Amino acid sequence: MKYIVALDQGTTSSRAVVFDERARLVASHAIEFPQIYPKPGWVEHRPQDILDSQLGALKLAVEKSGVNVADIAAIGITNQRETTLLWERETGRPLCNAIVWQCRRTAPLVERLKRDGLGNMIRDRTGLIPDAYFAGTKLQWMLDAIPGSRERALDGELCFGTVDSFLVWNLTGGRAHVTDATNAARTMLYNIYEQRWDEKLLQAMNIPAELLPEVVDSSQVVGYLDKRILGREIPIAALAGDQHAALFGQGCFAPGMCKNTYGTGCFVLMNTGKVPVKSQNDLITTIGWRVDGQPRYALEGSVFVGGAVVQWLRDEMKLVTKASETEAVAMEVPDNGNVYFVPAFTGLGAPHWDMYSRGTIVGLTRGTGRAHIVRAALEAIAYQSADVISAMAADSSMKSGVLRVDGGASANNFLMQFQADILGVHVLRPKVIETTAMGAAMLAGRAVGLWTDAQLGELQEPDREFAPNMDDATRARLLSQWQRAIERSRGWEMDEN
């Protein structure tokens, strides 16, 4: 029996998952690490925390599995996207904390790019909507803020990378400075049509090309694990941003197939095949994955706050003691009591794209209770996803009758049923909801010949299907009220300033 280890480096924790050659989950281990909030709207991670937690999870997952290290055929890496790191090429020492994808500090830099007339160029070349979400302006901010860093970058002394690149660098002992096409596509610096770093965009953000990683396929051997980590060199055979890995792990190999990952945020991706679809509804055109040098494109809508709203209920508001309680609490009331919760803690993502929107709860009365707030929070996750999926159908002229779901919050049966109801489509949850890790494992297994392309589609098994059970009039009324709540959240930070 051969095994694949997937490293799933997320926003709040690092996980390692061991799969066998039938893609069955053998063992997993996750380690949380601290979030740093230096100022309102700013989010950082310590690079060493990212690395230590991922190495710790790797070692403990392998230990728990009882697998002989000699039988591990490959390692696949999937990662939180857009989070930006800068380190010394000679020593590997980070120059500052990682700027996390949620961080809004570079909103003024984005506004400057748009004022300079570069908004359409960014859209036309990268498929992205200019936003502080993406990595390019985060790197620009670092180079502006750290004295002498731009000069050092020009001299080849520094490396930039998203988390995949940072992990590979460290796992290979500094022998590989690479990123895959899916992660490169999230930088606002990569031309997804020509498959290269874009010189004009680099110039616009004053970013030296010398610090950029080499762009590789999502499924290929890019280096070998340092022997000192597990006692043996193991091929690192896949890199993919977390949402792209989930799309692959859900088996969405045909155009029109769609998945939603309910993690810290919610991320809906639709496979559009070999041809990129340019959105008319403020969605992102991105690379789904790249294998054998050939990109497969996708439409994406990103919801910034999905499962994170449940963390907020638990950690900040103390309305529940654990996330799993929310399902039962939400069902204590027959409806939301006309309470709507827009969890725009870091602005609104697709299809609204309002950097200055902030969290809003409307419809409160004296009769509003804990259960209404919890229910409204869960419903908000589904409403935000529905906004994205509606825009996606309009852009692509493809509407799937099935939404494939994964991620931690997909275990919440109330949320999944409400998602089916508010969309009017079936929601299919697989047995392995860690499809981000599953996708990284599938891409790695493919690269080392463990699975053929034909076999990949047979690896994922269904768990439960949720059928819609809401009449059209109720659905229309709820969605109308949700849009009213969205409007009340808009522009809050701008008004404050």
Side-chain angles (χ1 to χ4, degrees), residues 18 27 57-67 230:
V18 181
L58 168 62
K59 292 172 182 176
L60 287 167
V62 171
E63 182 181 317
K64 285 166 70 173
S65 73
V67 167
L230 289 181

Side-chain angles (χ1 to χ4, degrees), residues 106-119 140 144 204:
T106 65
L109 294 177
V110 174
E111 296 291 359
R112 187 189 306 165
L113 289 170
K114 292 195 286 189
R115 283 198 303 271
D116 289 346
L118 296 172
Q140 180 185 1
D144 289 343

Side-chain angles (χ1 to χ4, degrees), residues 25-42:
L25 195 153
V26 178
S28 70
H29 192 84
I31 298 175
E32 292 191 0
F33 57 90
Q35 309 296 298
I36 302 167
Y37 307 103
K39 296 181 182 180
W42 290 32

Side-chain angles (χ1 to χ4, degrees), residues 103-406:
C103 187
R104 311 308 293 170
R105 77 183 66 182
T106 65
L109 294 177
V110 174
E111 296 291 359
R112 187 189 306 165
L113 289 170
K114 292 195 286 189
R115 283 198 303 271
D116 289 346
L118 296 172
N120 288 336
M121 179 193 290
I122 291 169
R123 189 75 187 270
D124 291 342
R125 297 180 182 217
T126 70
L128 306 177
I129 293 169
D131 193 85
Y133 176 30
F134 303 109
T137 54
K138 299 183 197 304
L139 176 57
Q140 180 185 1
W141 187 95
M142 288 176 169
L143 295 172
D144 289 343
I146 301 169
S149 59
R150 195 168 266 108
E151 292 73 22
R152 294 186 68 192
L154 283 165
D155 290 339
E157 296 179 21
L158 303 182
C159 295
F160 149 75
T162 43
V163 169
D164 60 315
S165 187
F166 178 72
L167 287 178
V168 171
W169 173 272
N170 283 281
L171 294 176
T172 62
R175 287 174 289 181
H177 184 210
V178 298
T179 190
D180 91 299
T182 69
N183 278 291
R186 315 300 298 188
T187 61
M188 224 158 64
L189 301 170
Y190 188 71
N191 190 312
I192 64 170
Y193 307 100
E194 299 178 4
Q195 298 291 298
R196 61 175 179 81
W197 297 112
D198 193 283
E199 292 178 9
K200 288 192 176 180
L201 294 177
L202 291 172
Q203 184 178 8
M205 292 177 232
N206 197 12
I207 293 171
E210 288 81 358
L211 50 60
L212 300 175
E214 175 191 358
V215 181
V216 298
D217 282 356
S218 309
S219 178
Q220 75 173 76
V221 176
V222 298
Y224 292 85
L225 184 71
D226 192 317
K227 187 176 180 180
R228 292 170 294 182
I229 296 172
L230 289 181
R232 171 178 169 257
E233 289 193 339
I234 300 170
I236 298 173
L239 302 176
D242 50 11
Q243 306 314 319
H244 313 262
L247 187 69
F248 199 87
Q250 285 276 26
C252 293
F253 301 140
M257 295 182 76
C258 189
K259 73 89 198 173
N260 190 9
T261 296
Y262 300 80
T264 302
C266 284
F267 301 90
V268 185
L269 270 76
M270 175 187 280
N271 183 339
T272 62
K274 297 179 181 180
V275 180
V277 174
K278 293 189 176 182
S279 176
Q280 303 302 311
N281 291 283
D282 289 335
L283 299 179
I284 290 165
T285 304
T286 193
I287 295 171
W289 54 78
R290 194 176 85 184
V291 297
D292 302 326
Q294 299 300 313
R296 291 295 180 271
Y297 291 96
L299 277 174
E300 177 179 339
S302 304
V303 173
F304 294 157
V305 177
V309 72
V310 177
Q311 292 177 317
W312 182 82
L313 293 174
R314 182 194 66 191
D315 298 340
E316 273 69 47
M317 301 307 293
K318 315 296 184 189
L319 293 180
V320 293
T321 56
K322 53 185 179 180
S324 58
E325 287 178 30
T326 57
E327 180 178 331
V329 173
M331 295 177 74
E332 290 175 6
V333 288
D335 54 43
N336 64 10
N338 206 29
V339 174
Y340 291 82
F341 186 165
V342 182
F345 300 145
T346 57
L348 285 169
H352 308 288
W353 294 107
D354 185 344
M355 291 188 288
Y356 303 102
S357 182
R358 288 296 179 267
T360 306
I361 302 176
V362 295
L364 298 176
T365 67
R366 184 62 184 84
T368 300
R370 164 181 176 246
H372 293 105
I373 301 292
V374 171
R375 183 173 180 130
L378 291 178
E379 289 182 353
I381 300 172
Y383 284 129
Q384 291 178 104
S385 300
D387 287 346
V388 171
I389 292 165
S390 175
M392 205 165 270
D395 273 337
S396 65
S397 301
M398 304 178 203
K399 182 179 179 182
S400 173
V402 177
L403 174 66
R404 289 162 174 81
V405 299
D406 55 73

Side-chain angles (χ1 to χ4, degrees), residues 73-90:
I75 292 172
I77 295 175
T78 182
N79 57 283
Q80 55 165 318
R81 305 171 300 169
E82 297 94 21
T83 294
T84 302
L85 298 104
L86 184 65
W87 65 94
E88 291 179 342
R89 191 178 298 273
E90 183 69 27

